[in-house]
Amino acid sequence: MPVMHFQVRWPDASETRCYSPSSVVQDFFAPGERYALEDFLQRSREALGIASERVRAKYGFACSQAMDQLAEIERIAIRFTGTADAQVTVVAFD
């Protein structure tokens, strides 16, 4: 599996380097694009869920790191749920 990292910028300009065990995240995000917070969360759930299932298909168990990454994304996002027009930018893949 090609491990991917993607850098995101939150509405407060802080950044997080995120992990995916699969390149599938490239199907959901584009570098430089801004996503409404809820859209970003939904895309993250779907992309990391698919990535985890790809690990399960190959190795027989889901990827706990992908689910941990999703939990971190959701924890950070809570800080911005009351912010009008909150957007998350996908800065880059590496």
Side-chain angles (χ1 to χ4, degrees):
M1 300 253 146
V3 168
M4 295 283 307
H5 289 94
F6 55 107
Q7 189 80 14
V8 300
R9 183 175 303 121
W10 297 97
D12 66 355
S14 65
E15 293 191 7
T16 302
R17 185 172 187 245
C18 300
Y19 166 85
S20 172
S22 167
S23 62
V24 72
V25 293
Q26 292 179 309
D27 295 340
F28 290 84
F29 300 115
E33 288 294 316
R34 297 174 67 176
Y35 302 90
L37 183 63
E38 273 307 314
D39 184 32
F40 175 76
L41 287 171
Q42 186 57 41
R43 289 170 182 263
S44 295
R45 290 177 189 122
E46 192 168 348
L48 291 170
I50 291 169
S52 180
E53 288 305 310
R54 287 184 177 181
V55 171
R56 183 190 308 278
K58 186 167 184 173
Y59 298 107
F61 52 86
C63 180
S64 62
Q65 254 187 303
M67 296 299 92
D68 289 346
Q69 181 61 73
L70 179 58
E72 179 185 14
I73 287 170
E74 291 181 336
R75 250 190 330 274
I76 294 169
I78 288 171
R79 297 189 330 228
F80 308 108
T81 54
T83 304
D85 300 321
Q87 294 191 332
V88 179
T89 303
V90 174
V91 178
F93 290 110
D94 60 50

